[in-house]
Amino acid sequence: MEQVFIDGVIRGSIEQQPRAVTAGMHALPVWATVYSVTLWWMIWSPTEEATYNAYVLPRMRALTGRRWIPWMFVGFWWALQHCALPFVPDWKYLAFRFLGFLPGVLVMMLFYLRTRRLTPLIVAHWPMDIAAAIMTAIY
């Protein structure tokens, strides 16, 4: 009985088939759900904004001497990162996610290039990550 409880907490639902994780949506373990709803969104939004906008974007701009090359390059990789979360091995779904995130990240980078302020971007990013954490928690 104790092992069943431990398996349920660490690995999620014990009724799942081993391949269910790659086939579609699945329940997170309790500890992961609690972490994502309470801490993850607070940490991840500043991390993404600082990494892409405050670190990579200005350095690539300094290296290339242009504004549009780093804007497109960083925007591409930032949007690409989001198309794999959650990963569904379907090219149409991945393309939909990529194209859905690309305009948002490009606008956020333009805002940063104009203002050089991360705080408003982090605050604007929080609702998106909170929504993702809640959606993950209810499945």
Side-chain angles (χ1 to χ4, degrees):
M1 182 66 164
E2 184 179 324
Q3 184 63 37
V4 171
F5 174 75
I6 292 171
D7 285 345
V9 170
I10 294 175
R11 296 187 190 97
S13 175
I14 58 173
E15 289 86 26
Q16 291 178 347
Q17 298 295 325
R19 295 175 193 234
V21 173
T22 58
M25 299 305 272
H26 60 281
L28 284 177
V30 174
W31 66 268
T33 301
V34 169
Y35 169 75
S36 68
V37 173
T38 59
L39 294 174
W40 173 81
W41 62 271
M42 284 190 283
I43 297 167
W44 194 244
S45 295
T47 301
E48 272 191 320
E49 294 298 335
T51 300
Y52 289 110
N53 281 326
Y55 183 78
V56 178
L57 193 61
R59 279 156 185 77
M60 284 197 67
R61 186 173 177 201
L63 288 172
T64 62
R66 294 197 165 84
R67 181 179 272 191
W68 70 271
I69 293 173
W71 183 66
M72 292 302 292
F73 181 81
V74 173
F76 173 83
W77 288 105
W78 198 358
L80 190 67
Q81 166 200 335
H82 288 92
C83 74
L85 300 170
F87 180 71
V88 176
D90 176 27
W91 74 269
K92 290 178 186 176
Y93 175 77
L94 295 173
F96 168 77
R97 296 271 300 175
F98 175 78
L99 293 174
F101 273 97
L102 189 60
V105 298
L106 292 176
V107 167
M108 290 176 91
M109 289 188 312
L110 282 176
F111 180 83
Y112 179 76
L113 286 171
R114 208 140 185 56
T115 65
R116 299 287 186 197
R117 295 182 59 216
L118 279 181
T119 305
L121 292 171
I122 292 168
V123 171
H125 202 139
W126 273 336
M128 293 180 274
D129 284 348
I130 291 168
I134 291 170
M135 285 187 282
T136 303
I138 62 174
Y139 281 103

